[in-house]
Amino acid sequence: MSPIRIAIVGLGKIARDQHLPAIAGNDAFTLAATVSPRGTPLEGVPNFRSLEELLQSDTPVDAVALCTPPQVRYDLAALALSKGVHTFLEKPPGATLAEVAVLSDQADASGASLFASWHSRYAAGVAPAKAWLAGRKIKSAKIIWREDVRVWHPGQDWIWESDGLGVFDPGINALSIATHILPRPFFLKGATLTIPENRQAPIAADLSFTDTNGAPIHMDLDWRQTGPQSWDIIVETDAGALKLAKGGAVLTLPDGSDEVHKDEEYPGLYARFAQLVKDGRSDVDIAPLRLVADAFLRGKREATEAFVE
Ligand code: NAP
């Protein structure tokens, strides 16, 4: 089978850090083009200033990876799918739940594959954690996602807009893991969103969930953490505590066994996308975005001091 000719749309931080190496490392793909409205193009790869321009050109593409901020994702995906182009969505898959549902229906009707990717689910400790937790009784869980926004999101004004998710931009990664590994569905009971007085999106959030068996799940998100960063999930079970650290890369089981693996997230995502295209299927799981939407629906707002970069 000839490789899937893919274009990267949005040549920003994640495209350069992760998508380019993952595409280069997977024989199922060849990088056919990039779309970057203002960025510096890559040498030797045709670059277009918009997706419309690319799709009207004589550079053929079978697939696109949309690596833009979420606010523009729907228009780009709808355009790609309307041309029968397979579409990989960076997380979060859209700015609203309804637009993602529309895209999912559009993909089904068009026959093109739509992949709503959740990169953290491909972190090395996640699959073994899910397997270990299956069938266990969950007593409680704690999610601690604390990082320094100045280090990880420098100059990203879009992230502070009302639909930029704020601290839920990383927090949704934790929720993508939790919704994948916990054996029962869970839902929001209460939340407090802490919003800088000069911004539209939260810099911190405190959330309480419960699973369908009544097990409490607490989530602590904060973008003001300097020094060591925390991306931990701890699950208390009838067989002891499981800990996933470093965003899912390191799994510690109750017997103390520690597993550290190499970074497998984006190679895993592209292997999955290639399989979906081959099988003519889509994969659109909105569970993490639904929980975030519920936090905005139910959460109390409290103002905090202005955030200046
Ligand atoms: P970023 O550095 O701000 O890059 C976004 C890029 O999108 C920019 O290069 C921008 O191009 C481009 N863009 C904006 N509108 C466009 C349009 N209509 N058509 C084509 N390109 C457009 O953001 P990022 O950190 O890479 O994040 C992008 C997405 O990846 C977000 O949804 C984020 O949650 C997700 N993500 C990020 C990370 C991370 O570590 N940063 C990790 C995992 C996932 P111009 O500059 O040319 O306007």
Side-chain angles (χ1 to χ4, degrees), residues 130-168:
K130 181 179 170 73
W132 192 85
L133 287 171
R136 291 219 151 79
K137 182 170 165 24
I138 307 302
K139 294 182 175 171
S140 65
K142 263 193 309 199
I143 301 170
I144 303 143
W145 232 248
R146 291 175 150 256
E147 61 178 45
D148 186 344
V149 65
R150 291 185 173 86
V151 171
W152 300 103
H153 301 281
Q156 293 186 345
D157 287 336
W158 60 264
I159 221 162
W160 291 105
E161 289 168 13
S162 59
D163 49 6
L165 293 196
V167 75
F168 286 99

Side-chain angles (χ1 to χ4, degrees), residues 12-14 37-39 67 73 90-91 119 156 158 169 266:
K13 183 169 181 348
I14 198 60
R38 286 177 291 269
C67 304
R73 198 108 68 217
E90 247 304 347
K91 51 67 46 168
H119 63 88
Q156 293 186 345
W158 60 264
D169 178 83
Y266 281 78

Side-chain angles (χ1 to χ4, degrees), residues 12 73 91 95 101-102 107 127 151 158 182 201 203 215 242 246 288 294 304:
R73 198 108 68 217
K91 51 67 46 168
V102 169
V151 171
W158 60 264
L182 291 175
I203 195 165
L242 169 150
K246 295 194 187 301
D294 283 354
T304 191

Side-chain angles (χ1 to χ4, degrees), residues 5-303:
R5 296 164 297 187
I6 191 165
I8 290 188
V9 181
L11 209 47
K13 183 169 181 348
I14 198 60
R16 290 178 189 270
D17 288 357
Q18 297 289 349
H19 289 257
L20 289 173
I23 290 168
N26 188 327
D27 290 343
F29 294 94
T30 180
L31 182 64
T34 57
V35 175
S36 182
R38 286 177 291 269
T40 315
L42 303 174
E43 228 180 277
V45 181
N47 184 63
F48 299 84
R49 291 299 173 191
S50 70
L51 181 58
E52 288 87 341
E53 223 183 86
L54 164 62
L55 295 177
Q56 284 162 11
S57 76
D58 52 12
T59 300
V61 291
D62 309 302
V64 288
L66 303 183
C67 304
T68 65
Q71 289 95 339
V72 295
R73 198 108 68 217
Y74 171 80
D75 286 346
L76 295 168
L79 176 61
L81 292 171
S82 74
K83 306 284 183 198
V85 172
H86 307 297
T87 302
F88 176 130
L89 306 173
E90 247 304 347
K91 51 67 46 168
T96 69
L97 289 167
E99 70 184 35
V100 181
V102 169
L103 289 177
S104 183
D105 290 346
Q106 191 186 346
D108 289 347
S110 75
S113 295
L114 179 66
F115 181 31
S117 73
W118 298 107
H119 63 88
S120 293
R121 286 185 177 171
Y122 293 78
V126 171
K130 181 179 170 73
W132 192 85
L133 287 171
R136 291 219 151 79
K137 182 170 165 24
I138 307 302
K139 294 182 175 171
S140 65
K142 263 193 309 199
I143 301 170
I144 303 143
W145 232 248
R146 291 175 150 256
E147 61 178 45
D148 186 344
V149 65
R150 291 185 173 86
V151 171
W152 300 103
H153 301 281
Q156 293 186 345
D157 287 336
W158 60 264
I159 221 162
W160 291 105
E161 289 168 13
S162 59
D163 49 6
L165 293 196
V167 75
F168 286 99
D169 178 83
I172 203 169
N173 299 333
L175 289 171
S176 76
I177 296 175
T179 49
H180 188 62
I181 64 172
L182 291 175
R184 287 177 177 274
F186 59 96
F187 55 92
L188 188 78
K189 297 294 281 184
T192 303
L193 313 182
T194 303
I195 304 175
E197 59 191 20
N198 61 339
R199 303 284 178 165
Q200 292 289 319
I203 195 165
D206 186 274
L207 304 108
S208 300
F209 301 93
T210 182
D211 79 4
T212 51
N213 233 5
I217 298 164
H218 181 250
M219 184 171 190
D220 166 13
L221 299 179
D222 207 315
W223 249 350
R224 298 165 295 190
Q225 173 112 331
T226 52
Q229 310 280 284
S230 313
W231 297 288
D232 300 329
I233 298 178
I234 299 140
V235 187
E236 298 289 344
T237 77
D238 53 349
L242 169 150
K243 180 172 179 184
L244 265 177
K246 295 194 187 301
V250 181
L251 172 65
T252 308
L253 295 174
D255 63 6
S257 57
D258 230 19
E259 298 179 44
V260 186
H261 301 264
K262 66 183 172 66
D263 184 3
E264 289 166 351
E265 294 185 13
Y266 281 78
L269 287 178
Y270 274 92
R272 172 78 174 147
F273 188 41
Q275 194 62 48
L276 290 171
V277 170
K278 187 164 172 245
D279 297 347
R281 289 188 304 122
S282 291
D283 175 356
V284 184
D285 178 11
I286 55 149
L289 186 60
R290 192 166 53 200
L291 292 172
V292 171
D294 283 354
F296 284 97
L297 203 55
R298 191 167 224 187
K300 292 184 187 133
R301 270 72 168 168
E302 66 177 24

